[in-house]
């Protein structure tokens, strides 16, 4: 089996370059922000970070395809880099430090493309998380200064911490009743949002999290970090991986309960 460590090291190089670009414009008074056709914001930093990552990939991995939030798909083949230059753009443009660059390498296999490398870099928080298939999940400042992370062993909803982003999406999908029922069963709920709940699931600080509507670039890096930390990452339909257009992540012990409530089965 490939060890993917060279790809992981390269993903860190990409994240370092993106961090420098995004931090340079974070809280800039003249930051340019536009509204995309889906009515979500995009800043000049989103575009600059993705362009920079694409440039590095085209030079160092010319045979690999690239899928990014801002510029779509380029290239074909069994290996595909998936990039969200700033996950949490709404936070970024308001000066909230909870945002990250998400970089994943996916490889074609049974069931379609699956993530084999993931880096989640949140420079305004001073945090970074990463994983490679078969090598576990880690957090730290760099590959040489890292701590291995594991999901929690909490086995009862009454003892569990549940994280989410907002209520509106659950209501639009007719899942709000089940969502609210779940919040009444758990020990604690917090709306951290975006990439952060998944990283806290991987670290064992949060036990379960979910979002009702997502794109592949929102999930690919998170999925490999959670699973390599010993957790479970599926769609709300229970399908493993980042392909369902939504996500549910947990320490594994609570996953059936999580899906049951969010699908209004309880």
């Amino acid at each position: 089996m490939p060890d993917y460590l060279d790809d992981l090291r390269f993903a860190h190089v990409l994240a370092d370059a993106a961090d420098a670009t995004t931090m340079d414009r974070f809280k800039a008074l003249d930051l340019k922000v536009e509204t995309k056709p889906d009515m979500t914001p995009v800043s000049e930093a989103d575009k600059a970070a993705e362009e920079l990552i694409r440039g590095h990939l085209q030079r160092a991995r010319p045979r690999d395809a690239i899928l990014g939030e801002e510029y779509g798909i380029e290239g074909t083949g069994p290996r595909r880099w998936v990039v969200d230059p700033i996950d949490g753009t709404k936070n970024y443009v308001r000066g909230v430090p909870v945002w990250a660059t998400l970089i994943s390498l996916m490889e074609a296999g049974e069931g379609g493309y699956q993530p084999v490398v993931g880096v989640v870099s949140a420079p305004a928080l001073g945090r970074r998380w990463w994983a490679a298939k078969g090598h576990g999940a880690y957090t730290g400042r760099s590959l040489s200064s890292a701590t291995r992370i594991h999901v929690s062993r909490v086995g009862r909803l009454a003892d569990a911490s549940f994280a989410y982003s907002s209520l509106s999406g659950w209501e639009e999908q007719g899942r709000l009743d089940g969502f609210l029922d779940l919040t009444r069963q758990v020990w604690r709920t917090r709306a951290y949002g975006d990439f952060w709940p998944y990283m806290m699931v991987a670290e064992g600080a949060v036990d379960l999290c979910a979002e009702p509507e997502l794109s592949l670039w929102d999930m690919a890096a998170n999925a490999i970090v959670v699973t390599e930390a010993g957790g479970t990452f599926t769609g709300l339909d229970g399908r493993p991986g980042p392909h369902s257009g939504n996500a549910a992540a947990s320490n594994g012990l609570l996953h059936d309960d999580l899906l049951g409530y969010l699908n209004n089965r309880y």
Side-chain angles (χ1 to χ4, degrees):
M1 186 179 87
D3 67 14
Y4 301 110
L5 293 182
D6 282 344
D7 293 311
L8 178 61
R9 283 187 282 269
F10 183 56
H12 276 273
V13 172
L14 298 176
D16 289 342
D19 286 354
T21 297
T22 54
M23 286 300 292
D24 182 59
R25 299 300 292 156
F26 186 49
K27 296 187 178 181
L29 297 178
D30 60 344
L31 181 73
K32 295 189 177 99
V33 182
E34 303 169 2
T35 300
K36 294 192 284 189
D38 64 0
M39 302 309 293
T40 59
V42 58
S43 75
E44 62 183 88
D46 291 79
K47 293 180 176 180
E50 185 169 324
E51 287 170 352
L52 185 68
I53 291 169
R54 283 175 178 270
H56 280 290
L57 284 167
Q58 286 160 355
R59 288 189 294 274
R61 298 287 195 277
R63 295 185 178 182
D64 294 351
I66 309 168
L67 172 65
E69 178 176 9
E70 307 308 333
Y71 296 105
I73 184 75
E74 182 177 354
T76 59
R79 288 165 46 99
R80 178 182 297 172
W81 293 86
V82 179
V83 177
D84 188 343
I86 299 179
D87 182 52
T89 299
K90 292 177 183 177
N91 283 347
Y92 184 89
V93 301
R94 289 296 303 271
V96 178
V98 183
W99 49 270
T101 295
L102 312 184
I103 300 168
S104 178
L105 173 63
M106 304 185 74
E107 275 199 346
E110 289 187 22
Y113 285 87
Q114 298 299 331
V116 295
V117 167
V119 172
V120 176
S121 190
L125 294 176
R127 298 293 310 277
R128 185 178 289 186
W129 302 261
W130 62 89
K133 185 177 180 180
H135 290 277
Y138 294 83
T139 187
R141 295 283 183 172
S142 66
L143 279 166
S144 60
S145 176
T147 301
R148 189 161 185 174
I149 55 178
H150 301 275
V151 296
S152 76
R153 299 300 299 168
V154 172
R156 296 196 319 145
L157 281 180
D159 300 323
S161 181
F162 170 50
Y164 61 98
S165 288
S166 67
L167 294 178
S168 58
W170 301 107
E171 186 170 29
E172 290 165 5
Q173 292 191 7
R175 300 178 189 266
L176 184 59
D177 288 344
F179 175 91
L180 293 175
D181 286 343
L182 174 61
T183 67
R184 297 182 184 107
Q185 298 300 316
V186 298
W187 168 63
R188 193 168 192 253
T189 62
R190 284 293 183 270
Y192 300 106
D194 300 307
F195 69 95
W196 207 7
Y198 303 97
M199 298 303 98
M200 287 192 279
V201 167
E203 290 182 325
V206 166
D207 308 301
L208 33 94
C209 68
E211 290 182 274
E213 188 174 1
L214 294 167
S215 297
L216 180 60
W217 46 76
D218 298 312
M219 297 182 281
N222 294 334
I224 183 74
V225 174
V226 168
T227 55
E228 284 294 320
T232 300
F233 189 105
T234 72
L236 296 175
D237 56 5
R239 179 185 177 191
H243 297 288
S244 299
N246 45 48
S250 76
N251 63 4
L253 300 175
L254 299 169
H255 208 77
D256 288 345
D257 287 332
L258 175 61
L259 294 180
Y261 277 101
L262 296 180
N263 286 297
N264 298 313
R265 291 199 296 262
Y266 293 170

